[in-house]
Amino acid sequence: MIAEDIPYFKLPFQCGQVWSVSTYAGHWPNANSLDMFHAGGETQGQPLHAPATGVLEYTGWWSEKSGWTIILDHGGGWKTYYLHLMDASFLPVGSEVKQGQHMGYVGNSGIPDRQYVPHLHYTVMEQDVAVRAVFSGVPAAPHAGDIGATEQIVSRNCGSSWDGDAMAELVTVSPDGTVTVYLNKGDFKFAKSGEVIATGRDQVHFADLDGDGRTELVDRPHADLDGDRRDEPQDGTFADLDGDGRDEPVGEGIYADIDGNGRDELVKVNANGDVEAYWNSGNGEFAQKPDILMNVGTSRVMFA
């Protein structure tokens, strides 16, 4: 049996955190497994977030060498393993775990109990064979073919976007209902030409309905009110202003995570059609001077 296409895995940690990853000869079950250490502070006790949507297959004390362990089944022959945790997951076996959902804490459990240096042992299994890890579409440098490599990776486990990279795309809706997506290129820059994804639309909204990190075109506005990525329909306008994965009710305006750091920027369209983005500096505080993203004329603007 051949596994289906690899899920869009993200680093299993909070948005924006930097983690150092490495491997070694003799790593279980092979050198494609990674050891992960928080590069920006304490490793012990850091929250563990699902890198992709899956079902909790196992949680508990797995063996004396692995300690407290979580196994997620992502379907299609893909599974991820998390070893040496502080404890079993607080979620029951059989739970559906959405991408980005909190499911446990990094620790140092094993033999002798809690004497390992705190770290996360992370393994991706394809049909029960450990394969090279990929995060946000980029293969990890350390793997069985390069056991000497060490890499620092920024977590983009930040939410969803049209192409799955967590940086919101700019969407225009022309007066005739043509919906065009302009890909986010980073550094507050967008592609100069867009892709038409729908025509004749009046009401246009986006939400990540299946938890794969990519937004879908939907009929009603959605909001993630409790950080579980379920995106149930809600009335009104919502935005994650503080980067905690939960959307709060906000006043009128357009909000989108343009830089992929987990905090939504405030966006306005001035009378000339210029799209002004005010960078979110944290706790809902925004830059005084905007970046001009592009001119959209008479088209409506949103993000996906």
Side-chain angles (χ1 to χ4, degrees), residues 244-292:
D244 66 354
R246 297 185 295 269
D247 287 349
E248 296 81 35
V250 295
E252 291 299 322
I254 305 171
Y255 294 86
D257 183 6
I258 296 174
D259 55 6
N261 68 355
R263 298 190 298 263
D264 286 351
E265 276 65 56
L266 172 62
V267 182
K268 300 178 180 179
V269 182
N270 65 26
N272 298 322
D274 293 330
V275 182
E276 303 176 337
Y278 295 81
W279 185 69
N280 186 333
S281 56
N283 298 319
E285 297 181 1
F286 299 93
Q288 296 298 310
K289 183 179 179 181
D291 287 82
I292 305 299

Side-chain angles (χ1 to χ4, degrees), residues 11 19 30 169 192 202 227 231 244 262 264 274 293 296 303:
L11 205 68
W19 285 73
N30 64 38
E169 273 66 58
K192 294 182 179 179
D202 181 20
D231 296 307
D244 66 354
D264 286 351
D274 293 330
L293 304 183
V296 297
F303 290 84

